[in-house]
Amino acid sequence: MAKTYEGGAPLAEVIRSEFVEGVHRGSVVVLDASGATVAAAGDVASAIFPRSSSKPMQAIGMLRAGLSLSDPADLALVSASHAGEEFHLERVGALLARAGLDESALHCPPDLPVGEAARDAVLRAGGGPTRIQMNCSGKHSGMLLTCLAAGWPLDGYWRPEHPLQQRLRESIEEFTGEEVAAVGVDGCGAPVLAVSLTGLAGAFLRLVSAEVGSLPRTVADAMRAYPELVGGTQADDTRLMRGIPGLLAKVGAEGVIAAALPGVGAVALKIDDGAARARMPVLVSALRRLGVDAPVLTEYAELPLFGGGVPVGAVRPVW
């Protein structure tokens, strides 16, 4: 499993004026409810960085280390890549304040909101990048609160050797069923751990299949109950969880997404060039292989391309 990712197969094509303008390659795996692979393309066995798709497993690790949150909405935010909308920022600020902290304790870098509307609002108001607006500030707040609960130092909480990060690594290895193949630095400054797409899909399946009341199920239930906190008003994973009851979904940077539906199966995929526009059409194709369908999938099945302000083509799956 430590071998280098070999790259994927053609998964989506870009059609403009009935001409194939480009192709997105990547890898995708589909598991049934038992965890058996029923379809795959590309390299699903070698390690990739799941990026923020790892956050549900990290949240489980925080709970096991002593993080205590009375409101499931806060747990959804700890598992989130939020859009930086006002309700996200207020909740992150309240989490920190309850621990006697403010955003200066966060190690994630100052940033503008990733949500387009929220970013535009900040710029119109004359604002600029802040740590709390960074899309991983919920996760980092959870990490800080976990350290306080466990009696670990806040200093260096983001370093791989810190006891917090060691616990989170154990959680990812347990739920993916794999040893971490590589450790990198994520965009937020915290460690990102390499596992395979097959391991990632299996982890999501284990979360939605866990017993009610268990910590894995608690995280999955919180994310599904508060999808707007996981992404944002218009985020892809938020809209998927709103549109398909019971679905757990989480996007990651560089074209990654994982999703699972209890009693049905799970999907994990990566677009090699990191293009978010190809991610959702391929996910729709994968979910439909499991017999999943809903109006939200029809919306994402092909993404329109525009020319002169009118639709002239689409990004559509070829797998």
Side-chain angles (χ1 to χ4, degrees):
M1 211 279 293
K3 67 179 181 178
T4 303
Y5 176 64
E6 296 177 354
L11 296 182
E13 61 183 7
V14 183
I15 304 295
R16 182 180 295 274
S17 304
E18 301 182 1
F19 180 83
V20 179
E21 186 176 26
V23 174
H24 292 289
R25 303 176 67 89
S27 299
V28 54
V29 64
V30 182
L31 308 181
D32 66 15
S34 74
T37 300
V38 295
D43 182 3
V44 300
S46 301
I48 57 105
F49 283 138
R51 304 297 296 271
S52 287
S53 293
S54 294
K55 285 179 178 174
M57 288 84 78
Q58 291 174 313
I60 296 168
M62 293 183 218
L63 292 175
R64 286 179 169 175
L67 176 65
S68 179
L69 298 171
S70 58
D71 190 341
D74 289 332
L75 183 56
L77 188 64
V78 168
S79 310
S81 301
H82 65 71
E85 296 171 84
E86 193 59 38
F87 63 93
H88 295 126
L89 307 186
E90 289 176 356
R91 188 168 286 273
V92 173
L95 265 180
L96 291 169
R98 286 203 296 271
L101 302 172
D102 58 32
E103 70 174 285
S104 66
L106 298 169
H107 179 68
C108 54
D111 203 355
L112 290 168
V114 296
E116 184 176 352
R119 182 174 62 250
D120 289 348
V122 170
L123 294 175
R124 280 197 304 270
T130 63
R131 294 184 188 278
I132 204 167
Q133 290 175 158
M134 201 272 167
N135 70 313
C136 295
S137 64
K139 178 183 78 172
H140 279 254
S141 297
M143 289 179 175
L144 287 166
L145 270 61
T146 302
C147 289
L148 290 175
W152 295 328
L154 300 186
D155 183 44
Y157 74 87
W158 60 89
R159 296 193 175 99
E161 64 273 14
H162 192 282
L164 168 71
Q165 300 302 335
Q166 291 296 308
R167 290 292 186 89
L168 304 193
R169 175 174 179 152
E170 290 171 4
S171 180
I172 288 173
E173 290 184 330
E174 175 185 344
F175 285 93
T176 61
E178 298 176 355
E179 291 186 8
V180 165
V183 180
V185 180
D186 212 335
C188 66
V192 59
L193 309 177
V195 294
S196 74
L197 286 169
T198 300
L200 180 63
F204 271 64
L205 189 59
R206 291 181 183 97
L207 264 64
V208 299
S209 304
E211 292 184 9
V212 175
S214 65
L215 293 185
R217 182 64 177 271
T218 297
V219 171
D221 287 350
M223 294 175 67
R224 292 180 291 188
Y226 298 96
E228 285 80 9
L229 289 171
V230 174
T233 306
Q234 296 302 318
D236 291 340
D237 41 15
T238 295
R239 295 188 63 213
L240 282 170
M241 288 189 284
R242 260 202 246 117
I244 305 174
L247 185 78
L248 176 68
K250 184 69 190 73
V251 301
E254 294 299 319
V256 175
I257 190 168
L261 195 60
V264 177
V267 174
L269 67 89
K270 174 178 172 58
I271 305 301
D272 287 353
D273 62 8
R277 67 178 182 177
R279 179 169 55 195
M280 295 304 291
V282 175
L283 179 69
V284 170
S285 176
L287 287 173
R288 284 177 170 169
R289 289 167 186 258
L290 290 170
V292 180
D293 207 357
V296 68
L297 295 187
T298 302
E299 293 177 37
Y300 278 118
E302 294 187 1
L303 298 186
L305 289 179
F306 294 89
V310 298
V312 296
V315 180
R316 65 189 186 192
V318 295
W319 176 74

